[in-house]
Amino acid sequence: QFVSLRQRILSAVQKNATRGDPRSVIRAIDQFCSQKEWAMNVGNEKGCILDSVVSEVNPATVLELGTYCGYSTVRIASLLPPYAKFITLEFNPDFAAVARQVIAWAGLEDKVQLVEGASSDWIPKIKEQFGIKTFDLVFLDHWKEHYLSDTKLMEECGLLRKGSVLLADNVICPGAPDYVEYVRSSPRYKSHYFRSHLEYTKAEENLWYLGIIE
Ligand SMILES: Oc1cc(-c2ccc(F)cc2)cc2cncnc12
Ligand SMILES: [Mg+2]
């Protein structure tokens, strides 16, 4: 019967990756998506940029908006210090179900909390539900229409502080023009972008780096 793309990605991980080895999980997904079928993982080129930002920030608290199959979740979780708190929000229950299994295959289920539901519903509850004051790093990789509203919501909920870093995928493709316009014109942020390509393609893409300065 019909097997969904996310199920085929999970099968590729279970077939080709070693349990407890995050790097083999990343490699298995990248091989499947570059050789068999495109999927909207952040991919290896942007993934290396993500890795360098995570290593530089060395965050004690991380929020990821948009888990999908858990590819970037595994990349981030594998670089965090042992005491770090990492929350990833996924709206789609089918994606969340696959991501849980991918994260578990990588042996990282104790490093990350996958929460199902809408970011706009969960962001106001994070402080009391997870005992987190502010986030050192936020990776935005969910619906582009929600980048700006969710960033404003995080500000309003006091989840961002001076020094917090926000990294946003897909500011070109599919694009988040209102978000880029807002953060570029705000005195609160220092922003720059990393030039890259849309995952598994030659199309131009940027990762948008945002540092909160006040
Ligand atoms: O990295 C991404 C890429 C694309 C996407 C889809 C179709 C297309 F043609 C180009 C790009 C969509 C995304 C949705 N959420 C998170 N990340 C995404
Ligand atoms: Mg993306």
Side-chain angles (χ1 to χ4, degrees):
Q1 97 289 9
F2 173 73
V3 179
S4 62
L5 172 58
R6 61 188 179 269
Q7 276 297 331
R8 289 198 291 277
I9 290 172
L10 176 59
S11 303
V13 166
Q14 293 168 335
K15 178 165 172 277
N16 303 315
T18 310
R19 268 188 180 282
D21 176 359
R23 296 312 305 173
S24 74
V25 168
I26 297 305
R27 192 167 45 252
I29 295 175
D30 282 332
Q31 279 173 352
F32 178 82
C33 293
S34 40
Q35 292 161 14
K36 301 277 188 343
E37 294 181 74
W38 189 91
M40 61 180 175
N41 316 113
V42 77
N44 196 47
E45 187 179 301
K46 289 187 284 176
C48 288
I49 298 168
L50 172 62
D51 292 353
S52 61
V53 170
V54 174
S55 303
E56 183 192 322
V57 174
N58 195 35
T61 52
V62 186
L63 176 63
E64 175 180 62
L65 300 178
T67 314
Y68 187 40
C69 292
Y71 175 91
S72 50
T73 320
V74 167
R75 285 196 88 115
I76 295 168
S78 65
L79 295 173
L80 294 180
Y83 52 79
K85 279 192 173 182
F86 179 15
I87 294 171
T88 183
L89 298 183
E90 177 52 56
F91 176 72
N92 181 310
D94 298 324
F95 294 165
V98 164
R100 287 190 199 287
Q101 295 174 81
V102 168
I103 293 161
W105 198 269
L108 294 168
E109 63 277 13
D110 298 337
K111 303 281 285 187
V112 56
Q113 276 194 273
L114 196 164
V115 178
E116 287 180 47
S119 49
S120 53
D121 293 343
W122 272 104
I123 286 171
K125 294 190 258 184
I126 283 175
K127 275 188 187 272
E128 93 234 57
Q129 294 278 332
F130 302 102
I132 283 176
K133 291 187 182 56
T134 57
F135 284 108
D136 300 330
L137 175 66
V138 181
F139 180 49
L140 293 91
D141 192 23
H142 60 331
W143 293 125
K144 317 309 152 200
E145 303 75 21
H146 298 171
Y147 278 23
L148 181 52
S149 52
D150 282 347
T151 298
K152 287 180 174 174
L153 188 55
M154 286 187 284
E155 286 179 350
E156 285 153 22
C157 297
L159 285 168
L160 304 176
R161 60 166 174 78
K162 188 171 173 213
S164 294
V165 170
L166 282 71
L167 191 67
D169 191 22
N170 310 114
V171 292
I172 291 185
C173 180
D178 59 343
Y179 172 75
V180 171
E181 179 51 41
Y182 172 80
V183 297
R184 285 186 90 151
S185 52
S186 164
R188 294 201 62 213
Y189 304 107
K190 166 186 63 113
S191 57
H192 71 81
Y193 59 86
F194 296 92
R195 296 183 50 150
S196 186
H197 297 91
L198 176 68
E199 51 266 26
Y200 317 115
T201 77
K202 292 185 171 32
E204 193 177 322
E205 179 57 278
N206 293 341
L207 272 183
W208 192 268
Y209 178 102
L210 204 59
I212 300 192
I213 53 176
E214 58 181 60

